[in-house]
Each structure stands twice: as structure tokens, then as C-alpha cells.
Amino acid sequence: MFVIDFFKGLLRSRIEGVEIGAKGKAYNIRAKAQSRASSKFNGAIDGGVNKVKGAGKGGQKKAKPEGSKMGFPWFGKKGDKPGSATAPSTRDGDEAEAEAKTQAINIGQFEDANFKPCVGWVVVMNGVQKGRDFRLVAGRNRIGTDADMEVVLTDPYVSSHHATIVYDNEGVYRLSDAGSTNGSRVNGKKVEQAQIVDNDGLTIGHTDLRFKALD
């Protein structure tokens, strides 16, 4: 009885093994068939997409520029070297552009029509303005506290228009008092009008000035 059961179990195991092998082969066959079908389907889809893209671009490839290599414009035709007869020259264009940007400048147009050259200076020697210098020009140079004076002093003892220094055509400097309350002095001497020379000391009100002539 034991022997019969053993052979029955052995036979049953072989039958089950055969069935499992047959099922595995059938599964492999179905998988391969599905893979082929999927590949064909994807190929058909890709082909349709490529056709659509080609139609959108006109179905033509972009032509390379004539006389170029690999689409780079700086590779010209053989013989089109800089300076050759066939090569386009940009030198004339550059020169024309440079000439257009270059304009003759008349320096005189920047000069002030009312400009007068400096002929000397007066330098403040004391008080709150000590060290301040004022340039003198040819003709009249007024001294006082008014803002429109050529030499503006902040001394309370100086009149609004206190005195005038004139440089004439003969190259002579003269100091004239303008009728001030406290008067004008040259080298300590009170004057109404006097010729002054380089390095003279002037006193206007309580302010001491040093005169310096350019000539």
C-alpha cells in the first residue's frame, strides 16, 4: 500500500510539473506577442508626429549661407580674405562713421564775451576775511559791502561803495575813495586818489589789503 501511494504521488508531481511548464511557455508566447504589437503601435505614432513636424517646417531643411562652411558666416568663399578684391571691406564704413562723429570745435565759442583778463589782486590781511583774495581786471574794480562790488568786504566800517581801483590803458593802477565815511589809506596815508604800485598796503575802513600787480 505504501508503495502504491508513493508511485501515485510521484506521478502526480510529474503531471503538475508538466502543467506548470506548459503554462510558463504560453505566458512567454503571449508576452512576446504583446511586445511586438506595442512596438508597431509606437512606431506608427512616432511616424505620424514626425510627418506633422515636417509639414510645419515646410518640409525643407534650412539652407546654409552661400559661401559659408558649417553655417558659420565668418568662413567665406575661397579667396575672400580680408583685403582681397572679393571680400567686402568695412574700412570705408568705419572711416565714414568716425568722420561723422568728428566735429571741428571752435574754442572761441566757449569764451565769455564779457571776459576781462586779470591784471592784479588784493589780498585781505586781517579780520574775518583774512587770506581771501580778489582778482582785479582792466578798467574799474569797485570796493565795498554791496554784493555787486568786484571786491566785497564784510567790515562794518566799510561803506556800500567805499573805493575804486582803476587799471587804465597806460598800465597804471589808481585808488580813488568814493566819498566813504571812514576814508581810504595807501601805506597808512589817507588819500582821495593815488597811484598804487605792486605790494602797496591799502586800508579800507578797518580792513587791511595787500595790492599785487600782475605787470
Side-chain angles (χ1 to χ4, degrees):
M1 188 68 179
F2 174 77
V3 174
I4 295 172
D5 292 337
F6 171 77
F7 282 107
K8 286 182 180 180
L10 180 62
L11 180 61
R12 190 179 300 108
S13 297
R14 289 183 178 180
I15 294 172
E16 290 177 354
V18 172
E19 291 177 352
I20 292 172
K23 290 180 180 179
K25 290 181 180 179
Y27 177 79
N28 290 336
I29 292 171
R30 287 197 300 271
K32 290 181 180 179
Q34 290 177 355
S35 178
R36 292 194 192 96
S38 177
S39 298
K40 290 182 180 180
F41 178 78
N42 291 337
I45 295 297
D46 291 342
V49 172
N50 291 334
K51 287 182 181 180
V52 172
K53 289 182 178 180
K57 293 183 178 179
Q60 296 181 356
K61 295 182 179 180
K62 187 176 181 181
K64 297 180 180 179
E66 183 178 357
S68 65
K69 295 180 180 180
M70 299 179 68
F72 297 108
W74 52 83
F75 290 103
K77 294 181 180 179
K78 185 177 181 180
D80 288 354
K81 297 180 179 179
S84 65
T86 58
S89 175
T90 59
R91 182 176 180 180
D92 294 340
D94 293 342
E95 290 179 352
E97 183 178 357
E99 290 177 359
K101 292 181 179 179
T102 303
Q103 298 180 355
I105 298 176
N106 182 7
I107 297 177
Q109 67 182 330
F110 297 107
E111 293 184 356
D112 187 351
N114 297 322
F115 172 77
K116 293 182 179 180
C118 179
V119 297
W121 299 266
V122 289
V123 183
V124 180
M125 304 301 293
N126 66 337
V128 295
Q129 290 179 289
K130 183 178 180 179
R132 174 71 184 275
D133 65 303
F134 297 91
R135 68 191 298 271
L136 305 176
V137 298
R140 184 183 65 174
N141 300 272
R142 298 167 300 167
I143 304 172
T145 58
D146 277 356
D148 63 345
M149 299 288 107
E150 285 69 39
V151 180
V152 180
L153 302 178
T154 58
D155 184 351
Y157 295 95
V158 173
S159 302
S160 57
H161 178 196
H162 195 104
T164 301
I165 296 176
V166 176
Y167 178 79
D168 60 25
N169 295 331
E170 296 178 357
V172 177
Y173 302 87
R174 288 186 173 86
L175 173 68
S176 300
D177 187 81
S180 65
T181 301
N182 296 297
S184 303
R185 298 176 183 273
V186 177
N187 298 325
K189 183 180 179 179
K190 189 174 182 178
V191 298
E192 291 184 359
Q193 184 177 21
Q195 182 176 342
I196 57 177
V197 296
D198 183 57
N199 215 36
D200 273 349
L202 313 178
T203 302
I204 307 297
H206 287 184
T207 300
D208 295 329
L209 305 172
R210 179 68 63 186
F211 169 66
K212 297 298 295 182
L214 183 61
D215 293 338

